[in-house]
Amino acid sequence: MHGAFMTEWGLRGVFIPTMKKRILVADDNPLIRKMLCKIFSDHESLEICDEAVNGQEAIAKAKQHRPDLIILDLAMPVLHGLKAAEEICKFMPNVPIILFTLHAQTLRDFDLKKSGITRVVSKTEMNSLVDHAEELLLVA
């Protein structure tokens, strides 16, 4: 998954390799992580760069990989998604973070900007996650 290239044609018809936008996924449920990897696997400009099983691991992997986008579950062991987002924003303040949770409807009523969350997406809307990622990264 690391370093996969997209290609596009430049102005003079020159073939130019470009890097895919990299996404870090953090969820304690292995089935959810597998499904997320699957929905992004065939995307021409987005790829999963790594997976984390809790918020603490998400912070470490964000430091290691410097992803372009992070998808965090809310309810994870060790450190939940909101706290992980706060910590990640301290060293990557401009990276978009999607909180991917079953509690999306409840959380949409709160101001999550302070925690660094860019968008909240319900796990019942998994198919729309690629559209949200594209929109936040402007790669349609």
Side-chain angles (χ1 to χ4, degrees), residues 74-139:
L74 173 63
M76 294 185 287
V78 184
L79 191 66
H80 62 76
L82 290 177
K83 277 301 217 186
E86 283 180 28
E87 291 301 313
I88 290 167
C89 282
K90 289 178 182 176
F91 61 90
M92 294 181 72
N94 298 319
V95 69
I97 299 175
I98 295 175
L99 190 64
F100 187 55
T101 178
L102 288 172
H103 309 287
Q105 193 56 46
T106 305
L107 290 171
R108 285 186 179 123
D109 297 334
F110 295 98
D111 181 16
L112 298 173
K113 298 247 189 265
K114 190 169 72 172
S115 65
I117 301 298
T118 310
R119 188 162 297 174
V120 178
V121 177
S122 174
K123 286 188 176 178
T124 62
E125 300 170 11
M126 186 177 288
N127 290 336
S128 72
L129 200 54
V130 171
D131 293 335
H132 288 286
E134 287 175 342
E135 183 180 323
L136 289 171
L137 295 171
L138 303 172
V139 296

Side-chain angles (χ1 to χ4, degrees), residues 1 25 31-42 48 50-51:
M1 277 190 268
V25 171
L31 182 59
I32 295 290
R33 290 194 313 273
K34 184 176 182 174
M35 290 170 64
L36 291 175
C37 288
K38 175 76 175 128
I39 65 172
F40 285 100
S41 66
D42 294 330
I48 303 295
D50 208 345
E51 304 172 29

